[in-house]
Amino acid sequence: MDNATEPKNLLIVEDEPTLSELLQDYFRASNYQTHIIARGDEVIAWLEENKTDAIILDLMLPGLDGLEVCKLIRQRWNIPILITTAKVEEIDRLLGLELGADDYICKPYSPREVVARVKTVLRRVQSSTQEIELTIPIELRPQKCQVVICGKTIDLTATETALLELLMSEPGRIFSRNLIMDRIYKDYRIVSERTIDSHIKKLRKKLNQDSDQQEIIHSVYGVGYKYEPN
């Protein structure tokens, strides 16, 4: 049994009834409350009316494929997503993670492994949230293009605001430059990676006006940037 005081809610998006019911049995045995959806085009409507702590999302789905579902979810929610699929090619794995998946599990898999991977992702999310609560007090005010750090108000440009809002939406997640361009700029064809680096540099300078201020935007060499105020 899971040691959590309250059962976690889990959404299983899988069109193979035998597999989805097997996963459901294993997760219920670990004190999870589960719901099964067999079509990709029914997921968003369900999420608009219900809450879940994590999503197990198959790629090959009727109605709407899993990658499109993942992309739509990421546009509105920060729910942990674990993609499951029989597609083992590297391009599929990288594409899934680029769209915002938190983990990738190849079929055939052990249901016990899936349960363990979900628990790991949820622990990581919980730990990240607790660390942020204990570190730098920061409040973003998108409508005013301002951020308040340790009680000090800092004015931002519209681009800097959008950039910080994106990074803060998923603390600890590494955002590639291409993904930032796709999310921030309406016409990213006129934007280069150097433009992203320049905006990050200016944003960092504003956020670190005090010499003793901790770094909250971190560079990941060769990959991109992440927000992690600890």
Side-chain angles (χ1 to χ4, degrees):
M1 295 292 286
D2 199 319
N3 293 326
T5 56
E6 294 183 4
K8 293 291 186 180
N9 296 307
L10 183 70
L11 175 62
I12 300 171
V13 186
E14 170 62 62
D15 65 330
E16 297 182 32
T18 302
L19 186 53
S20 61
E21 290 170 7
L22 179 63
L23 284 175
Q24 181 170 253
D25 290 341
Y26 271 82
F27 276 103
R28 286 182 174 176
S30 294
N31 200 34
Y32 284 78
Q33 295 179 348
T34 60
H35 181 79
I36 295 174
I37 293 179
R39 294 182 57 87
D41 52 4
E42 296 177 357
V43 175
I44 301 302
W46 187 89
L47 289 174
E48 288 175 341
E49 301 294 332
N50 302 274
K51 291 183 179 181
T52 188
D53 295 296
I55 301 171
I56 295 178
L57 178 64
D58 185 42
L59 283 190
M60 303 299 290
L61 295 167
L64 194 64
D65 71 78
L67 289 179
E68 281 299 316
V69 174
C70 184
K71 185 175 182 179
L72 291 173
I73 293 172
R74 276 292 167 262
Q75 290 174 355
R76 301 176 59 180
W77 297 283
N78 298 323
I79 306 166
I81 300 173
L82 294 89
I83 285 180
T84 66
T85 183
K87 290 186 174 183
V88 297
E89 294 85 352
E90 184 178 20
I91 186 62
D92 292 313
R93 180 177 64 83
L94 294 176
L95 182 57
L97 295 174
E98 181 75 3
L99 289 175
D102 296 88
D103 203 352
Y104 193 100
I105 306 172
C106 293
K107 296 179 179 177
Y109 52 69
S110 161
R112 289 189 179 88
E113 178 190 0
V114 179
V115 173
R117 298 274 279 270
V118 168
K119 288 181 179 180
T120 298
V121 168
L122 289 177
R123 279 197 299 267
R124 186 169 67 235
V125 171
Q126 183 179 8
S127 176
S128 176
T129 301
Q130 290 173 344
E131 288 178 359
I132 290 167
E133 290 174 350
L134 295 173
T135 55
I136 301 172
I138 180 169
E139 176 192 357
L140 181 63
R141 299 173 178 174
Q143 295 180 341
K144 295 183 178 181
C145 286
Q146 293 178 337
V147 62
V148 181
I149 301 180
C150 299
K152 183 177 182 179
T153 301
I154 300 171
D155 293 324
L156 304 175
T157 66
T159 299
E160 291 167 349
T161 301
L163 180 55
L164 184 56
E165 186 173 23
L166 174 63
L167 296 176
M168 289 179 65
S169 68
E170 295 183 67
R173 177 186 173 186
I174 302 170
F175 287 85
S176 69
R177 292 173 177 82
N178 285 335
L179 183 55
I180 291 173
M181 286 189 283
D182 187 53
R183 296 281 188 91
I184 299 296
Y185 301 95
K186 294 181 180 179
D187 187 0
Y188 63 82
R189 290 172 297 176
I190 62 174
V191 180
S192 68
E193 291 188 356
R194 290 185 178 181
T195 304
I196 300 296
D197 295 338
S198 177
H199 284 303
I200 288 286
K201 183 178 180 180
K202 292 177 181 178
L203 180 58
R204 276 174 163 170
K205 186 175 181 180
K206 289 184 177 181
L207 297 177
N208 294 283
Q209 292 180 9
D210 297 328
S211 58
D212 60 345
Q213 180 67 60
Q214 298 179 48
E215 190 74 64
I216 64 175
I217 297 179
H218 302 264
S219 300
V220 180
Y221 182 76
V223 183
Y225 299 96
K226 65 178 179 177
Y227 168 81
E228 201 166 54
N230 49 48

